[in-house]
Amino acid sequence: MRNKQVAAWITSTLRESAWAPLGVFLFYLIARSLQLFSVFPSLDIPTHFLGGVVITYFYRVAIQNAQKLVGTIPFPIQVIFAFTCAGTTMIFWEFYEYISDFLFDTKMVRGVTDTTVDFFVGLFGALVLSIVYRHRLPSP
């Protein structure tokens, strides 16, 4: 019974919200393959902002859906948990960029300032979503 509930939670979360981070990730892959970040370095800023927005949205939906498994989660806790999960994801993304530079000489990290700005802009996107996204709309 519990496995079915967990599977339902994962399925509903992916169905409702995976499109958002996958869309930004697809844009990132296309832009990277076309070397748009080299041609337009400032494109990195809106990409990290949108990344913060969509990953926070994904976590908010996952946390809301998890209430069917764990019970009611107070709204402020949902917001704080989604924000911190998004921040953790951003840290791992920056690790990915650094490791890729180290192993494959991809030149994604342009220094400490670049990484710091990436964090700030991503967290700002997460904060914007946290403020704007109050309640989930009822399902049809």
Side-chain angles (χ1 to χ4, degrees):
M1 178 68 173
R2 186 76 171 165
N3 289 341
K4 285 185 180 183
Q5 289 175 321
V6 171
W9 167 62
I10 292 170
T11 303
S12 64
T13 298
L14 292 176
R15 185 178 62 250
E16 292 174 42
S17 62
W19 61 270
L22 288 175
V24 172
F25 185 65
L26 180 62
F27 170 77
Y28 165 80
L29 291 177
I30 292 169
R32 175 99 18 255
S33 68
L34 297 175
Q35 298 182 345
L36 293 179
F37 293 112
S38 297
V39 176
F40 305 105
S42 61
L43 188 60
D44 191 50
I45 300 298
T47 304
H48 278 85
F49 177 83
L50 284 175
V53 168
V54 299
I55 200 64
T56 305
Y57 171 72
F58 177 81
Y59 285 125
R60 287 289 304 275
V61 171
I63 293 164
Q64 288 172 348
N65 290 341
Q67 293 181 101
K68 295 172 187 163
L69 290 170
V70 300
T72 303
I73 302 170
F75 182 74
I77 301 300
Q78 292 181 40
V79 173
I80 292 168
F81 189 47
F83 185 82
T84 57
C85 286
T88 302
T89 301
M90 290 173 215
I91 290 169
F92 283 112
W93 184 265
E94 292 301 320
F95 285 164
Y96 150 74
E97 287 184 350
Y98 176 79
I99 290 167
S100 180
D101 283 359
F102 183 77
L103 295 176
F104 306 112
D105 197 32
T106 54
K107 296 178 180 34
M108 287 192 272
V109 177
R110 294 180 306 238
V112 174
T113 301
D114 174 63
T115 300
T116 304
V117 169
D118 289 350
F119 282 136
F120 178 77
V121 171
L123 287 173
F124 184 65
L127 180 63
V128 167
L129 189 276
S130 297
I131 291 169
V132 172
Y133 185 71
R134 299 271 179 195
H135 301 284
R136 187 165 88 187
L137 296 173
S139 299

